[in-house]
Structures are given as structure tokens and as C-alpha cells.
Amino acid sequence: MKLDVERLTSEPTPFAFEGGTAWWRSHMPAQPGLPREVAEPFVLTGNAYRGSGEAILLEGSVSGALELECARCLARYRHALLEPFRLVLEPAGQRTPSEPEAAAALARDGLCMTDELEMGWYRGSEIRLDTVCLEWIALALPVKPLCREDCAGLCPRCGNDRNETPCQCGEVSPNSPFSVLAALRGGSSGGAK
Ligand SMILES: [Zn+2]
Ligand SMILES: [Zn+2]
């Protein structure tokens, strides 16, 4: 996912990159909960152009799909994502990012993000978009993956998948604030008065 900076003009130049399982594995460190396979290759598309003062503007979106595990019913499902992005890159010049990670990124990719949202620095005639692409994918990933909005999940008592069949365990879940009340009531009913 390399962009030739020299060729960019004030006219939008379209770009398109694809990253499948091989790309994902070589760039994304293994993380618990994240699959090593890509269900549908990530596609990074957009336009790049030069703004004023040698700044480079990137606008586009990242799409693709991963197989994630539903946080409620634990079923694996295909999670499609689409993340729009906009990035303004200024020439780094003689500046060095204060954060070691950003400094390493600037040396490696010719590009690093700054503390400001949607802002970064670039250096050299070629920039690599792999790392920022991963960041955009990470932004699009759900904190709590759900196979569907109204997934009923597993019964906390008997483990039954409530999407398939209801069970007779009742509606009170351990996470419900009412379960505390139910426990109190249960505890006091037989206790001394
Ligand atoms: Zn589910
Ligand atoms: Zn149950």
C-alpha cells in the first residue's frame, strides 16, 4: 500500500489497495479475539491530492470483513466493516515526533499520525499506508461484537442458546440490577425476622 508522493498534484489522484489474509497476518500482530483470517479482503480506496504548502490530503474508505465471535451467543459471524477516513499530512521537515512509536512510523512508513485528529506528517517521496489502514480497521471494529443487534445470547444459568430455543430459567440475568434484589429477597425470606 504505497503512494508515490511525487506524482500527486492538486487534482485528485485515485488510489486502491487490497489486503487479504497474507497482508493482515504480516501487519497485524496476533491478538486474542481477533481472527487470523480475513473473510473478505480489506479494500482501501480514495483520492490523494496536494493541498497548500506541500500538504497531502487523503480521503476515502476502508472496507472488508472479518469473522468475529458474538459477545452474547459466542457464535462466529461475518462482520462487514466500512470506515471512511480523511487525513491531512504535512511535510515533517526537520521535526521529529516526540513519541517513539510515531518516530518509528515516520522512519518506516514515511508517515506518522500526530496528536491532532486526522492530522499527520510525511517524509520522503513514498508513503506506506499499511499502518494507518490497520488503525482505521481498528476504529471500525466493535468493542462488543454482536451477531445481530437483538441477539438473545446464551442463558447464564443453563448455557442454552436463546436464539434457537427459549429455556425455562426465567428472565433474571446475573448482570441485571434486579438480580441483586431477587437475591436479597431470596435471602431474607427464610432468614430471622
Ligand atoms: Zn449472537
Ligand atoms: Zn436457561
Side-chain angles (χ1 to χ4, degrees), residues 69-77 145-154 161 163:
E69 189 177 81
C70 175
R72 284 189 198 147
C73 72
L74 308 182
R76 298 191 73 80
Y77 72 101
L146 292 178
C147 64
R148 54 173 212 247
E149 242 355 274
D150 60 348
C151 170
L154 302 180
D161 186 343
N163 293 314

Side-chain angles (χ1 to χ4, degrees), residues 2 9 14 22-23 32 37-39 41 46 95 97 111 118 140-141 144 160 174-175 180 188 191:
K2 279 186 273 183
T9 65
W23 174 82
E37 305 274 333
V38 168
R95 295 177 288 185
L111 143 73
E118 301 181 340
L141 285 173
K144 186 179 175 184
N160 170 56
N175 297 325
V180 178
S188 65

Side-chain angles (χ1 to χ4, degrees), residues 154-165:
L154 302 180
C155 170
R157 293 198 189 161
C158 73
N160 170 56
D161 186 343
R162 292 184 293 196
N163 293 314
E164 284 168 14
T165 47

Side-chain angles (χ1 to χ4, degrees), residues 33-45:
L34 273 188
R36 300 300 284 156
E37 305 274 333
V38 168
E40 188 187 306
F42 293 110
V43 177
L44 177 74
T45 56

